[in-house]
Amino acid sequence: MKKYIIILIGLVIITLGGIFMKEQFDNKMEAQETQQKEELFALAKKRMTDFIKTNYKDIERIEYTDDYEINPMGGISINGYLNGNKDKKIWGIYDKPNDEVGVFKVNATRKPECEDKVCEY
């Protein structure tokens, strides 16, 4: 009888240890995923800023909202506005694998040299 109690206590300890280790692993993975998302958002903002300043005129300031969406293909959709005017909205999808702003909508006037094509940024 004593042998069964010792085995049962051992199994309970092993189970609780496994649950604890799984919880620690999940927390670590969640922290890494959050950090990767923040790094991708920062990179997308930088590339979008470069794109807008290269292709559009009269851009003094670009402000981004914190609501971004990462799609399964690795792109990130970001929103914002220009020059402190919330009516001058911007939206774009940064495609990380190709390192470019793929789809975009900017409420501003294009530079003359960039009207027919997207200028290199």
Side-chain angles (χ1 to χ4, degrees):
M1 185 71 172
K2 214 176 197 185
K3 183 177 179 183
Y4 293 116
I5 293 175
I6 292 173
I7 291 173
L8 183 61
I9 291 173
L11 288 174
V12 168
I13 290 172
I14 289 172
T15 302
L16 291 176
I19 291 171
F20 176 76
M21 294 300 289
K22 173 76 168 110
E23 183 70 26
Q24 293 296 316
F25 177 76
D26 288 346
N27 289 342
K28 182 179 177 184
M29 293 307 291
E30 185 178 324
Q32 281 181 339
E33 188 175 304
T34 301
Q35 181 182 4
Q36 288 174 344
K37 285 180 181 179
E38 289 172 1
E39 288 173 359
L40 179 60
F41 184 51
L43 178 61
K45 288 192 300 188
K46 181 189 178 319
R47 294 297 287 158
M48 189 73 169
T49 299
D50 294 345
F51 170 78
I52 291 171
K53 287 187 175 184
T54 301
N55 287 283
Y56 293 89
K57 60 183 177 179
D58 300 327
I59 305 299
E60 297 169 12
R61 188 175 71 211
I62 301 171
E63 296 178 34
Y64 295 98
T65 59
D66 288 332
D67 59 332
Y68 60 89
E69 231 177 271
I70 299 175
N71 67 36
M73 299 298 287
I76 181 170
S77 171
I78 58 175
N79 301 301
Y81 51 93
L82 302 172
N83 301 331
N85 185 351
K86 292 193 177 193
D87 292 331
K88 292 200 165 260
K89 296 183 180 193
I90 60 171
W91 172 83
I93 297 178
Y94 171 68
D95 182 18
K96 185 174 189 248
N98 295 323
D99 192 35
E100 67 182 8
V101 177
V103 181
F104 56 90
K105 182 176 181 182
V106 180
N107 188 1
T109 306
R110 290 195 117 171
K111 291 181 179 176
E113 63 271 15
C114 301
E115 285 181 353
D116 297 331
K117 62 180 176 63
V118 174
C119 292
E120 197 67 33
Y121 54 97

